Amino acid sequence: MQGIGMIDEAGRLRLIGAGAAGAAFGVVLVVLVLSSWTPATPTVLVVVGVPAGAAGAAIGLLTTMRSWRLDGGYERSVAAQRWVADGKVPADVPAEVWIPMLQAQADREGAGWGKVLLGVLWIAMSWSMRDQHGPLVTTMLIGLWVGLALWGGVVVVPRARAARALLRDRVAALS
């Protein structure tokens, strides 16, 4: 995987999770759109849902790998996340290395709030269409959107804020 580097077991599990989440998103989105015109039968799920799930899984994998590539590789991405979790950067890491790595982590706050906002909007939309889609599809959709909003609000935003605070403290210590 060019530009990503060696991936450990945790990275492989992240890729599996990204693929599974992408597949679920693809299937649920297709069921949402198609249930407006036709009932969600097993034939519809197999003929349209399976390819949509495969496309969603591929998109989930590609976006995760792209994120790692933009961070300078899987190892650098994990190192930056570890620094944020520990609240410190090792003393032997030069500022030219850790400043852009922490800045990339801090810049993800907007993406986290975007996930929260989209989750809330899609929950409201799914709930408003509950009579049209039925209780099972509505529950699946709301579960998906709640998961998206929680991921953004509980994981992405706090990690980005912690990265920003660590970056601010380390840059202040350099001055």
Side-chain angles (χ1 to χ4, degrees):
M1 291 183 230
Q2 193 167 352
I4 296 175
M6 294 298 296
I7 300 174
D8 61 4
E9 189 64 29
R12 286 189 284 277
L13 289 174
R14 288 181 187 181
L15 285 174
I16 290 170
F25 183 83
V27 170
V28 168
L29 189 61
V30 164
V31 168
L32 170 68
V33 171
L34 285 180
S35 65
S36 299
W37 294 289
T38 182
T41 64
T43 304
V44 168
L45 288 176
V46 170
V47 170
V48 181
V50 170
I59 290 169
L61 290 170
L62 291 173
T63 56
T64 300
M65 290 189 299
R66 179 182 177 271
S67 172
W68 291 342
R69 194 173 294 114
L70 291 175
D71 284 347
Y74 173 73
E75 294 92 356
R76 288 176 57 106
S77 177
V78 170
Q81 291 174 7
R82 191 173 301 121
W83 298 341
V84 171
D86 293 344
K88 62 182 177 184
V89 177
D92 61 337
V93 179
E96 300 81 33
V97 173
W98 62 261
I99 288 176
M101 290 172 68
L102 289 179
Q103 186 64 50
Q105 294 292 317
D107 288 344
R108 293 189 174 143
E109 184 174 2
W113 285 116
K115 286 174 178 56
V116 171
L117 179 63
L118 281 174
V120 169
L121 292 174
W122 280 80
I123 288 168
M125 186 187 79
S126 298
W127 183 254
S128 71
M129 299 174 75
R130 67 188 177 279
D131 295 335
Q132 187 176 4
H133 294 129
L136 178 62
V137 172
T138 300
T139 303
M140 285 175 33
L141 288 169
I142 289 175
L144 182 67
W145 308 135
V146 165
L148 176 72
L150 283 174
W151 178 259
V154 174
V155 176
V156 177
V157 170
R159 183 185 294 159
R161 287 183 174 176
R164 181 164 284 116
L166 180 59
L167 182 63
R168 183 177 47 246
D169 293 345
R170 290 286 300 196
V171 168
L174 288 176
S175 303

